[in-house]
């Protein structure tokens, strides 16, 4: 759901070992016993409250590990049974049985549980938690008119901080470890507050900034001063491709090229937007390519889809939002046949929660309902990949996250199936998608740091977070 308009090469195993400060004679492969000396910790910003590298962590005795790396397990999901996962500060060090805990490591018993990479949310608008459940009988344009547009101009830095922190913590507790936030809020002090809320949460994030004017200086300033200093932050330039603002779209693309970042555009969420000719605009400004992420992409023609595929354009699929706003169903099987890289997106306010299990289930269910074919793409293993490694591929960070490949950043979730909504065990992989809920997420690690343990967010007063968001929402509504 949009707001109203106003890749590196994969590292080699040797380079991974070198980066970890480990000898090539002690390879970090499935089942290997790592040396006990911790590797050199990654470069961080020591001024940031979450920047200090933690001690090593050993997740001991998982009943099931989904590595998302077929070279580290069985089948397309890299399935390993009865295994440990070793996290050296910041990175995945090893996956295998009976791994040795390094000196001083925190050992966490995850027996009876599932360990997998964290979810990658390729498209969201966190500030829209302000009107969760709002405009429930409206389509996309009604959502603009009655929810986003009236409230956006009333936002204050303090209010934005409250709403973004609420939504980002909700995402983290649901197992989202990486998110891309498309933001069309223009005041520099509000942008600063927005980024600070993301940073304080500890998630890995990309701030996709929509500049209302062709101001490359402002874009560069926001990236350099606000996002770059955050160790887990990255930047994109956001746009909304349409003929009426083609010159602005061109300026956005030029800014993205100058900063060496992706361009992120809403595309054809509603059939009425065909008149905007977004794919034609993006073609004319030269933006088609792997540095372009398109969101929704529901109403493309066959020729447009062929162009997207031929240029390796990436896409974000937001099935729950599209369903809520009566926008249509992304032709996901067609994208798959053409080899387009697609990730999943929660899409902020019109998803209402951060439930990635529901998102995966809906991505399957909508295609089956439309085709009346239970064998249609995506299947369970497909949506699990889209939710993790596929999402990382779509936003160009698969060399760092998305799988439990040794050397990648340690973004990990632990799922507890011993719950009324999940048990008894039949097929845990299917049950992750069809039975799972955020309350089954037992632990979450981002860059090796625990954000959630034993089913609770770490060092977060959730009651206070909720109170502050409620108070901010009340103040804005009274000011209307």
């Amino acid at each position: 759901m949009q707001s109203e308009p106003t890749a590196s090469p994969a590292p080699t195993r040797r380079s991974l070992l070198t980066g970890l400060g480990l000898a090539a004679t002690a390879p970090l492969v499935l089942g290997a016993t790592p040396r006990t000396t911790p590797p050199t910790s990654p470069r961080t910003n020591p001024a940031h409250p979450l920047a200090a590298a933690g001690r090593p962590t050993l997740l001991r005795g998982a009943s099931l590990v989904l590595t998302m790396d077929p070279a580290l397990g069985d089948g397309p999901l890299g399935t390993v049974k009865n295994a440990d996962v070793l996290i050296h500060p910041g990175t995945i060090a090893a996956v295998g049985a009976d791994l040795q805990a390094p000196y001083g490591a925190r050992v966490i018993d995850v027996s009876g549980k599932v360990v997998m990479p964290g979810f990658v949310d390729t498209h969201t608008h966190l500030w829209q938690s302000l009107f969760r459940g709002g405009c429930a009988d409206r389509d996309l344009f009604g959502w603009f008119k009655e929810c986003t547009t009236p409230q956006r101009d009333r936002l204050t830095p303090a209010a934005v901080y409250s709403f973004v922190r609420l939504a980002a913590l909700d995402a983290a507790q649901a197992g989202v470890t990486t998110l891309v936030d498309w933001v069309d809020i223009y005041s520099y002090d509000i942008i600063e507050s927005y980024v600070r809320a993301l940073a304080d949460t500890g998630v890995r994030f990309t701030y996709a900034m929509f500049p209302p004017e062709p101001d490359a200086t402002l874009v560069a300033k926001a990236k350099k001063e606000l996002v770059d200093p955050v160790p887990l932050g990255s930047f994109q330039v956001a746009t909304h491709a349409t003929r009426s603002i083609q010159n602005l779209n061109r300026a956005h693309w030029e800014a993205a090229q100058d900063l060496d970042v992706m361009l992120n555009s809403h595309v054809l969420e509603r059939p009425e937007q065909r008149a905007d000719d977004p794919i034609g605009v993006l073609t004319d400004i030269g933006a088609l390519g792997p540095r372009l992420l398109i969101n929704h992409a529901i109403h493309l023609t066959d020729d447009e889809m062929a162009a997207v595929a031929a240029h390796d354009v990436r896409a974000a699929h937001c099935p729950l939002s599209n369903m809520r706003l009566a926008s249509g169903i992304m032709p996901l099987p067609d994208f798959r046949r053409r080899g387009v890289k697609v990730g999943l997106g929660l899409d902020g306010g019109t998803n209402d929660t951060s439930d990635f299990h529901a998102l995966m289930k809906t991505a399957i269910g909508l295609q089956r309902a439309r085709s009346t074919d239970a064998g249609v793409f995506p299947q369970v293993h497909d949506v699990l990949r889209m939710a993790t490694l596929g999402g990382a591929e779509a936003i160009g960070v698969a060399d760092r996250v998305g799988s439990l490949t040794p050397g990648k950043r340690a973004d990990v979730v632990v799922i507890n199936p011993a719950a009324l909504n999940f048990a008894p065990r039949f097929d845990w992989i299917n049950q992750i998608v069809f039975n799972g809920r955020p309350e089954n997420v037992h632990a979450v690690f981002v860059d090796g740091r625990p954000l959630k343990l034993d089913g609770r967010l770490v060092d977060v007063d959730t009651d206070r977070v909720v109170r502050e968001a409620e108070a901010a929402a009340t103040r804005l509504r009274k000011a209307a």
Side-chain angles (χ1 to χ4, degrees), residues 72-431:
L72 292 176
D74 297 327
L77 302 183
T79 303
V80 185
K81 296 180 180 179
N82 303 315
D84 306 333
V85 177
L86 177 62
I87 301 172
H88 274 297
T91 59
I92 300 295
V95 178
D98 301 321
L99 298 180
Q100 180 180 344
Y103 176 78
R106 169 177 39 207
V107 178
I108 299 176
D109 180 6
V110 292
S111 56
K113 297 179 177 63
V114 180
V115 177
M116 62 180 290
F119 299 127
V120 178
D121 180 0
T122 59
H123 184 65
T124 195
H125 310 271
L126 293 177
W127 74 273
Q128 294 175 3
S129 63
L130 164 61
F131 25 80
R132 282 175 168 173
C135 306
D137 59 347
R138 298 293 186 265
D139 64 10
L140 174 66
F141 304 116
W143 170 265
F144 292 158
K145 181 178 179 181
E146 298 188 27
C147 272
T148 60
T149 301
Q151 294 293 346
R152 186 172 50 230
D153 293 339
R154 301 188 186 110
L155 293 170
T156 65
V160 162
Y161 184 91
S162 296
F163 303 140
V164 172
R165 182 147 170 80
L166 175 80
L169 286 170
D170 183 36
Q173 65 87 27
V176 174
T177 54
T178 298
L179 58 86
V180 179
D181 203 333
W182 196 105
V183 190
D184 57 346
I185 296 172
Y186 315 132
S187 169
Y188 192 81
D189 59 344
I190 292 182
I191 297 171
E192 187 279 332
S193 186
Y194 206 117
V195 173
R196 183 163 49 86
L198 286 165
D200 289 350
T201 302
V203 295
R204 191 181 303 277
F205 70 90
T206 296
Y207 188 89
M209 177 183 174
F210 179 92
E213 303 291 340
D215 188 344
T217 300
L218 174 63
V219 177
K221 176 181 172 69
K223 178 180 183 296
K224 180 179 179 181
E225 295 184 359
L226 301 180
V227 177
D228 287 351
V230 182
L232 298 179
S234 59
F235 193 82
Q236 292 176 357
V237 178
T239 197
H240 179 71
T242 179
R243 284 293 176 195
S244 63
I245 57 169
Q246 180 171 336
N247 288 338
L248 181 59
N249 299 145
R250 187 183 305 278
H252 290 167
W253 172 233
E254 290 171 353
Q257 290 178 290
D258 289 343
L259 296 173
D260 195 24
V261 299
M262 292 185 78
L263 183 72
N264 183 327
S265 181
H266 294 99
V267 167
L268 291 170
E269 186 173 356
R270 289 279 304 184
E272 296 91 335
Q273 293 169 325
R274 286 227 49 85
D276 296 335
D277 189 23
I279 298 298
V281 170
L282 293 166
T283 300
D284 290 348
I285 67 175
L288 291 192
R291 290 297 188 91
L292 174 63
L293 175 67
I294 58 174
N295 309 303
H296 305 294
I298 298 171
H299 301 285
L300 276 66
T301 66
D302 287 343
D303 287 345
E304 289 170 336
M305 198 175 301
V308 164
H311 290 86
D312 195 20
V313 175
R314 316 302 170 84
H317 177 36
C318 307
L320 278 170
S321 170
N322 299 155
M323 183 171 66
R324 187 194 198 276
L325 294 176
S327 294
I329 303 172
M330 185 189 203
L332 200 52
D334 293 336
F335 278 95
R336 168 67 172 179
R337 280 192 290 273
R338 295 178 185 272
V340 178
K341 296 178 178 65
V342 181
L344 296 177
L346 287 166
D347 201 21
T350 52
N351 193 74
D352 297 300
T353 73
S354 299
D355 189 341
F356 236 79
H357 302 277
L359 190 68
M360 292 187 289
K361 181 162 56 177
T362 304
I364 291 175
L366 286 178
Q367 301 301 328
R368 292 186 181 184
R370 184 172 69 171
S371 67
T372 66
D373 177 7
V376 71
F377 180 89
Q379 295 295 303
V380 166
H381 67 276
D382 299 314
V383 294
L384 282 166
R385 192 182 187 281
M386 288 171 64
T388 53
L389 185 59
E393 290 172 343
I395 62 174
V397 296
D399 60 329
R400 285 168 275 164
V401 301
S403 71
L404 302 184
T405 304
K408 286 192 178 183
R409 309 310 299 172
D411 294 2
V412 183
V413 298
V414 180
I415 296 174
N416 183 10
L420 293 174
N421 66 292
F422 211 110
R425 182 171 185 171
F426 187 80
D427 185 323
W428 271 1
I429 294 176
N430 290 342
Q431 287 169 273

